[in-house]
Amino acid sequence: MPFKKLHSDIQEKLEFLEITTPTPFQSRSIPVIKSGANVFCTASKDSGKTTTLILTTLQKLKCEAVGNAPRSIVLVENKEKALELYDAFLTYTKHNSLRVYVGYEELHIDLQKSEIFEGVDILISTPKSLNKLFLSNGVNTAQLKLFSIDDAAFLTQNSTYTALISITQSIQKCQFVLYSEEMHPKLQRFESYFMERSKTVAI
């Protein structure tokens, strides 16, 4: 069972939230993501993709704060999705030391840079906002372990697609996990850029 092999802090939190049985998608995807491979995760709405993203991020970071630079980045479509995911993460990080930060276009870039500089473990951001941070050296990626993309359909738009390609060119070594409801041909093209030797989990 995938939940049984997760960090004890995560298991405690799942017990508290009365989440006992993984969805079919979680049973298939969690072990593959834990293996460290780049993964395309495709499943219908309400199959547990966002919870999988949160659980595997916490697992990768061992549920504790380390250093100052982000070790996980999560890319989302817009401010609303960013804040929604931030709240979802807080449900799981409330009783551990992990620091979650959320950034989006409406927040001044200098403010984001100074707040990130103070130390974060998980950075949630939108493509334009993250690209600005990267272009202005506002994010140190030396410690980055995991880059996840939630509901990736928004990346089929040219501006966000280009922003992501630009962002990933500055990342040396990292695991990429992309979640979507269906595999769009444009998303598949990422295999030539940063999703090398990727695996696919489709439910």
Side-chain angles (χ1 to χ4, degrees), residues 97-114:
S97 59
L98 284 172
R99 300 152 298 175
V100 187
Y101 182 79
V102 62
Y104 39 85
E105 283 93 304
E106 292 84 349
L107 269 183
H108 196 285
I109 201 74
D110 289 339
L111 174 66
Q112 291 186 56
K113 281 167 72 171
S114 62

Side-chain angles (χ1 to χ4, degrees), residues 151-162:
D151 286 336
F154 66 91
L155 292 171
T156 56
Q157 301 158 22
N158 284 338
S159 60
T160 52
Y161 185 92
T162 310

Side-chain angles (χ1 to χ4, degrees), residues 1-198:
M1 295 290 271
F3 291 167
K4 292 273 165 40
K5 293 188 174 177
L6 294 176
H7 192 285
S8 55
D9 282 14
I10 301 171
Q11 290 187 43
E12 268 180 47
K13 181 56 76 174
L14 288 168
E15 208 174 298
F16 175 75
L17 296 169
E18 297 181 354
I19 300 172
T20 53
T21 310
T23 65
F25 170 73
Q26 289 166 342
S27 294
R28 287 269 303 278
S29 62
I30 290 174
V32 181
I33 297 165
K34 274 179 67 188
S35 77
N38 291 335
V39 192
F40 284 106
C41 292
T42 310
S44 59
K45 194 171 163 58
D46 301 324
S47 56
K49 294 193 295 294
T50 301
T51 305
T52 300
L53 186 159
I54 294 169
L55 298 181
T56 51
T57 301
L58 267 57
Q59 178 71 20
K60 190 87 170 177
L61 305 190
K62 298 178 179 171
C63 294
E64 60 182 7
V66 174
N68 288 325
R71 290 174 295 140
S72 168
I73 289 176
V74 186
L75 198 68
V76 293
E77 182 177 5
N78 52 35
K79 175 185 175 180
E80 290 67 37
K81 291 272 176 74
L83 293 172
E84 210 175 281
L85 189 61
Y86 176 70
D87 287 342
F89 259 105
L90 291 188
T91 303
Y92 288 86
T93 58
K94 208 174 281 179
H95 298 109
N96 64 39
S97 59
L98 284 172
R99 300 152 298 175
V100 187
Y101 182 79
V102 62
Y104 39 85
E105 283 93 304
E106 292 84 349
L107 269 183
H108 196 285
I109 201 74
D110 289 339
L111 174 66
Q112 291 186 56
K113 281 167 72 171
S114 62
E115 291 183 335
I116 290 166
F117 184 74
E118 284 173 23
V120 303
D121 299 290
I122 301 163
L123 169 62
I124 301 168
S125 189
T126 60
K128 283 181 186 169
S129 188
L130 189 60
N131 199 25
K132 268 190 189 172
L133 282 169
F134 271 63
L135 292 172
S136 59
N137 295 318
V139 179
N140 177 351
T141 59
Q143 305 303 316
L144 198 60
K145 293 175 180 292
L146 179 62
F147 192 115
S148 305
I149 303 166
D150 195 25
D151 286 336
F154 66 91
L155 292 171
T156 56
Q157 301 158 22
N158 284 338
S159 60
T160 52
Y161 185 92
T162 310
L164 180 60
I165 297 296
S166 169
I167 290 161
T168 54
Q169 281 170 346
S170 339
I171 297 171
Q172 294 303 311
K173 194 185 171 203
C174 176
Q175 178 186 11
F176 290 91
V177 183
L178 187 149
Y179 298 83
S180 61
E181 284 184 30
E182 53 186 316
M183 183 48 74
H184 190 282
K186 205 162 183 183
L187 300 181
Q188 217 137 19
R189 281 193 225 154
F190 290 136
E191 230 169 327
S192 313
Y193 294 97
F194 57 88
M195 295 289 285
E196 302 102 334
R197 295 185 293 282
S198 58

